[in-house]
Amino acid sequence: MLLKFSLSNYRSFYNETSISFRVSESITNPYIKKIKDEYISKICLLYGHNGCGKSNLINALKYLFYANNGYISSSNDSINKLLDPNMIYGKYDKSKFYIEFFSYDESCLCKYELILDNENKAVYSEILIKDNNIIFERKKYSITDGIFKYDGNIPSTNTVLSFFNDIQNNEIIDKYREEANYYISLFTNLCFLFPFTNEADFSSYAIMSAFNYFSKNNVWETYKKLLNMADIDDLNIAEAEDNNDFSFVFDNKKLLSRHDCYSNDFDEVESEGNKVYAINLIYILYSIMNGTLSILDEFNAIQSELLKFTVSLFRNNAFNDIEKETSQLILSTHDVTLMSMEDMELHNYFFINKEDNMSVLYNTDDIKKFNNALNMNNLEFEYRKNNLGIRRKKIEIPKNIRN
């Protein structure tokens, strides 16, 4: 489970900014998981006006995982995307990214830090620590300390783990492969990033690709029941008699959705909102089944009640037969009705504001400092009234746009 994420000098963020999932002791809240002596929040909802930096924060975390978890053939693209400093305040300053998390089996605490040299467009340093033991410490091209011993050079656009993942059929690298794969698995089992999240055009491909996995784990019927919340009565994969009759055919199969007694091509009959819901639901179910982190940037085009329902799937014991309680959700959203969800607490909400061309993150403690008299039992009302002590962007419609 993710305990903490920090970044500095990345896009609209310059000063060090941190999201902590540690919360005070609670054994009754269904959105909290206890590991050892830590109480960890399962939900993080990010609010802020358009352009405030929500996507920058989420993308930084995504790229950090992509650069380490072996899901892509090379980390170059992810490192290049992280080499994007705040252009106003720190164009040539170093950027720093840090995560702290419990391993998949909940047995060890891991810490990872990556520092990038923006001036030279290269990895400056990184360190992975497991239970206070340095696994590796890397400075520029070389591993300088740690349990993991490798004497060769590491390219400046690769993290240590992506380097061992990228290089195949190399006798020298192969000697370290098994050990490196174990450390890669620490990241893989923490967060699975579905590559087509929120891209409705890929919904049929995503669903048909997930069919075998869901069927093997007896989750396909559960998935269809959850789609029923979006008024999709049934979903089936059938043989495609004529490929030209369907917008997407995969392994000579077509995807059919049914409403009442009418069935047709999923891509043709479903709305954009239903497609986004269907594709994100795959990602969410995977996370719930495997106890991993889901990262969603603005789950758009679905109604508020359906979004509330989706968030509620992360409750402990929502799925007694398939769930692993270490699943977590980070969601950026503009839907303030989530503030009135049952069992949600103030630590589930974070607010981002743009101040002096820098993104600033406000957490629970910040909000309490601003105004101790706030009615925290009606956060939605207080937010709408701009009573949280955070400058919320006000949109004024001009009387005459042309003037």
Side-chain angles (χ1 to χ4, degrees), residues 175-231:
K175 293 191 299 183
Y176 300 89
R177 185 88 61 197
E178 184 176 352
E179 188 178 2
N181 284 341
Y182 167 73
Y183 299 123
I184 289 173
S185 73
L186 294 175
F187 292 88
T188 304
N189 291 324
L190 173 61
C191 178
F192 174 76
L193 293 171
F194 195 75
F196 303 125
T197 300
N198 255 356
E199 297 184 27
D201 291 343
F202 292 100
S203 53
S204 287
Y205 173 78
I207 294 168
M208 295 173 79
S209 297
F211 171 75
N212 288 335
Y213 179 77
F214 280 169
S215 297
K216 177 182 177 182
N217 291 279
N218 299 316
V219 181
W220 179 247
E221 292 301 319
T222 300
Y223 177 66
K224 293 200 295 183
K225 287 179 182 178
L226 295 174
L227 287 180
N228 189 251
M229 300 292 295
D231 293 326

Side-chain angles (χ1 to χ4, degrees), residues 19-245:
I19 289 183
S20 175
F21 292 83
R22 289 181 170 93
V23 299
S24 57
E25 181 175 340
S26 175
I27 53 178
T28 58
N29 189 283
Y31 295 103
I32 290 175
K33 167 71 175 174
K34 183 183 180 184
I35 299 180
K36 297 186 176 180
D37 295 326
E38 300 274 15
Y39 290 85
I40 309 165
S41 175
K42 300 182 67 173
I43 301 290
C44 167
L45 300 175
L46 282 172
Y47 285 89
H49 57 77
N50 288 334
C52 70
K54 298 190 302 297
S55 294
N56 292 340
L57 184 68
I58 280 181
N59 286 337
L61 185 55
K62 281 185 177 182
Y63 297 144
L64 193 62
F65 284 123
Y66 275 132
N68 283 288
N69 61 18
Y71 290 135
I72 54 178
S73 60
S74 173
S75 73
N76 288 8
D77 186 51
S78 295
I79 292 295
N80 286 333
K81 288 178 178 177
L82 289 173
L83 283 164
D84 194 357
N86 183 294
M87 296 299 293
I88 297 175
Y89 294 98
K91 185 175 181 179
Y92 297 114
D93 292 349
K94 292 179 177 62
S95 298
K96 184 169 74 172
F97 307 90
Y98 172 83
I99 56 172
E100 195 171 316
F101 61 95
F102 275 112
S103 61
Y104 180 72
D105 60 4
E106 305 175 19
S107 65
C108 57
L109 179 64
C110 303
K111 302 173 183 178
Y112 174 76
E113 180 183 81
L114 174 68
I115 298 178
L116 299 179
D117 181 349
N118 291 298
E119 186 171 6
N120 295 301
K121 301 298 180 185
V123 174
Y124 179 77
S125 68
E126 59 178 321
I127 184 169
L128 175 64
I129 298 173
K130 179 172 169 279
D131 281 341
N132 297 318
N133 297 311
I134 297 176
I135 303 304
F136 62 77
E137 184 172 10
R138 176 253 188 100
K139 296 288 182 64
K140 296 188 177 179
Y141 302 101
S142 305
I143 293 178
T144 58
D145 194 9
I147 297 170
F148 186 66
K149 305 293 185 182
Y150 175 70
D151 296 330
N153 283 346
I154 299 171
S156 62
T157 54
N158 274 96
T159 62
V160 169
L161 297 180
S162 70
F163 171 67
F164 286 92
N165 181 68
D166 291 352
I167 306 300
Q168 303 295 325
N169 301 318
N170 182 297
E171 291 184 4
I172 297 175
I173 300 301
D174 286 344
K175 293 191 299 183
Y176 300 89
R177 185 88 61 197
E178 184 176 352
E179 188 178 2
N181 284 341
Y182 167 73
Y183 299 123
I184 289 173
S185 73
L186 294 175
F187 292 88
T188 304
N189 291 324
L190 173 61
C191 178
F192 174 76
L193 293 171
F194 195 75
F196 303 125
T197 300
N198 255 356
E199 297 184 27
D201 291 343
F202 292 100
S203 53
S204 287
Y205 173 78
I207 294 168
M208 295 173 79
S209 297
F211 171 75
N212 288 335
Y213 179 77
F214 280 169
S215 297
K216 177 182 177 182
N217 291 279
N218 299 316
V219 181
W220 179 247
E221 292 301 319
T222 300
Y223 177 66
K224 293 200 295 183
K225 287 179 182 178
L226 295 174
L227 287 180
N228 189 251
M229 300 292 295
D231 293 326
I232 298 176
D233 294 328
D234 200 5
L235 193 67
N236 289 295
I237 295 176
E239 295 291 332
E241 299 87 356
D242 186 348
N243 292 0
N244 294 325
D245 291 341

